[in-house]
Amino acid sequence: MSAMTQPSTAGAEPEQVRAQLADWVRRYWDPAMALRDWRQLLLASGWAVPSWPQRWHGRGLPAWADELVGSELLRLGAVGVPVGSGTWLAAPTILAHGSDDLRDRLLAPILTGEQTWCQLFSEPGAGSDLAGLSTSAVLDGDSWVVNGQKVWNTSAHHADMGMLLARTDWSVPKHQGITYFALPMHQRGVEVRQLRQMNFHASFNEVFLTDARIPAGNVIGEVGQGWQAALTTLAYERRFSALQRPGYSPAPGRALDEARAEADDHFATYSWYPQRAGRPDLVIEHARAAGVSDNPVVRQAIARLITLQRASTWTAERARAARALGARPGAEGSIGKLAASNIARESAKVHSMIAGAAALLTGPDSPLGGVIAEVLMSVPGQSIAGGTDEIQKNILAEKVLGLPPEVRVDRDVPFSQIRHRG
Ligand SMILES: Cc1cc2nc3c(=O)[nH]c(=O)nc-3n(C[C@H](O)[C@H](O)[C@H](O)COP(=O)(O)OP(=O)(O)OC[C@H]3O[C@@H](n4cnc5c(N)ncnc54)[C@H](O)[C@@H]3O)c2cc1C
């Protein structure tokens, strides 16, 4: 069998898939090869994203196969597709809404790691009210000309491509005049400025678009139908709100070295994300180090936090099981996101209770080497990124509980008639 052959594994059971993958890895994995060459093999064999169609680097397997194959590749000492918003957000959006031409052109460079992506959704006047965005795109011959400003764009400073939402029709209600583009970032009309955060990291950017050009063929979905594609991206974003570094083998080899360097580079931007999640994993160690692990009030607070965390893990596992059966990400993403915010806040409270005023100190001789202070400064970000807590509650109230929708006076009028903050 050549590496290009994609035998039918439709209807396969997890054990069969595991065995076929192990057999394939035994034949083709060579840690001495270049990472890109290895990933080309993964794409050609359909093991890159096994739940996708065969034409686009998959094997048409059920949704559970992606997670199974990803973790099996690591267990076998090999490497899978890269992590990042290209793989997690742009690729599934392009697969779901893009033309065949876009799928052909854009998916492979994402999955080999040749091109990285950032998300250009939020604007100074449009965050929670994303559909109120006012960056404009006007068709000029065979390209769109874009003007406006985006903000809070994680990793835009080293991205090759941007998932861009821009307004292409001001005469229709706000959700109907938006178009979703694949924006080439390396051009004169795109200026990226890094923002310094209160926890001293700089993972966000402002992106200024001044007569930036996008080829006409880079529209993802239909012109004016970008909101539908944006909802797909947002649903995946809630699902992947916790970023995890892949556990690559420490063995030598060019492909592994390159994969580790790629992950180092990628996760440098996200080094504060574990602190953003509140570090509940550190509360027991912290209580012991501070000599308060026998304090009954502290013990109760820790028990409450761990209970919350366990319950949330089970909810996430139920959601994962539903996805494995083919369900698209839905309201459970909002529940998981809200739970993550509550756990982060609760954990920051417990760490503060343990450390007292010293929680505010930074530097090597402060609690847990400054990690606790970083937790306190980073936790607010958890309840904002990917849609705030209030927005998740609105989604759950309307979509799950069937409560009456918020009063929205600007929903049905042409966008040009709305006073906006742009
Ligand atoms: C860590 C992090 C990473 C991010 N990465 C990106 C990225 O890569 N790309 C990108 O485009 N954006 C990114 N963002 C931006 C993020 O999507 C926005 O910050 C978020 O959508 C909120 O928008 P806003 O900041 O404009 O706040 P606003 O929308 O102005 O909200 C202000 C407050 O009002 C509340 N509020 C607003 N509307 C309602 C309502 N209808 N009902 C009840 N309460 C409401 C909100 O909950 C919030 O408390 C990131 C943000 C963070 C923190």
Side-chain angles (χ1 to χ4, degrees), residues 119 121-122 127-128 152 154 204 276 384-385 388 390 394 406:
Q119 187 190 32
F121 281 17
S122 306
S128 301
W152 312 127
T154 309
F204 304 117
R276 186 183 88 162
I384 302 172
T388 66
E390 288 74 19
N394 282 348
E406 260 192 292

Side-chain angles (χ1 to χ4, degrees), residues 118-130 150-155 203-204 237 272-273 276 380-391 394 406 421:
C118 65
Q119 187 190 32
L120 303 174
F121 281 17
S122 306
E123 297 183 2
S128 301
D129 179 24
L130 184 58
K150 297 288 172 176
V151 72
W152 312 127
N153 312 113
T154 309
S155 290
S203 49
F204 304 117
E237 186 170 6
W272 59 283
Y273 273 43
R276 186 183 88 162
Q382 184 73 43
S383 52
I384 302 172
T388 66
D389 284 3
E390 288 74 19
I391 294 304
N394 282 348
E406 260 192 292
R421 294 182 283 157

Side-chain angles (χ1 to χ4, degrees), residues 27-243:
R27 288 173 196 222
Y28 295 105
W29 167 240
D30 174 4
M33 66 201 300
L35 180 60
R36 295 277 149 80
D37 294 344
W38 163 246
R39 287 200 176 131
Q40 291 291 1
L41 282 184
L42 271 181
L43 264 64
S45 66
W47 288 120
V49 206
S51 73
W52 286 11
Q54 295 197 359
R55 174 162 172 196
W56 291 290
H57 327 299
R59 299 188 149 222
L61 283 170
W64 51 257
D66 292 342
E67 210 169 301
L68 182 145
V69 167
S71 54
E72 280 297 294
L73 282 169
L74 292 175
R75 201 182 61 76
L76 295 165
V79 173
V81 293
V83 292
S85 54
T87 309
W88 291 335
L89 305 182
T93 307
I94 294 164
L95 185 72
H97 300 274
S99 61
D100 284 357
D101 167 58
L102 279 182
R103 292 166 171 164
D104 286 340
R105 281 196 287 125
L106 299 181
L107 292 177
I110 293 175
L111 299 176
T112 59
E114 261 164 89
Q115 282 188 343
T116 61
W117 284 63
C118 65
Q119 187 190 32
L120 303 174
F121 281 17
S122 306
E123 297 183 2
S128 301
D129 179 24
L130 184 58
L133 59 89
S134 56
T135 290
S136 82
V138 177
L139 190 60
D140 175 30
D142 57 2
S143 61
W144 292 86
V145 180
V146 187
N147 283 284
Q149 187 201 333
K150 297 288 172 176
V151 72
W152 312 127
N153 312 113
T154 309
S155 290
H157 51 296
H158 46 66
D160 301 301
M161 299 290 293
M163 295 163 250
L164 174 78
L165 294 182
R167 189 162 301 282
T168 45
D169 188 349
W170 300 66
S171 69
V172 292
K174 61 180 182 178
H175 292 88
Q176 294 165 30
I178 295 171
T179 300
Y180 196 132
F181 296 96
L183 169 79
M185 294 290 286
H186 305 300
Q187 56 169 307
R188 225 193 357 241
V190 178
E191 187 195 345
V192 180
R193 293 190 204 154
Q194 276 192 276
L195 293 165
R196 182 68 54 187
Q197 299 149 213
M198 68 177 178
N199 61 5
F200 309 119
H201 293 269
S203 49
F204 304 117
N205 304 272
E206 300 176 284
V207 177
F208 296 87
L209 302 156
T210 312
D211 292 335
R213 293 227 160 223
I214 305 178
N218 277 22
V219 170
I220 299 173
E222 301 294 321
V223 172
Q225 306 278 309
W227 188 248
Q228 281 73 10
L231 290 180
T232 298
T233 308
L234 292 172
Y236 280 97
E237 186 170 6
R238 277 154 210 158
R239 174 175 159 186
F240 289 117
S241 58
L243 293 174

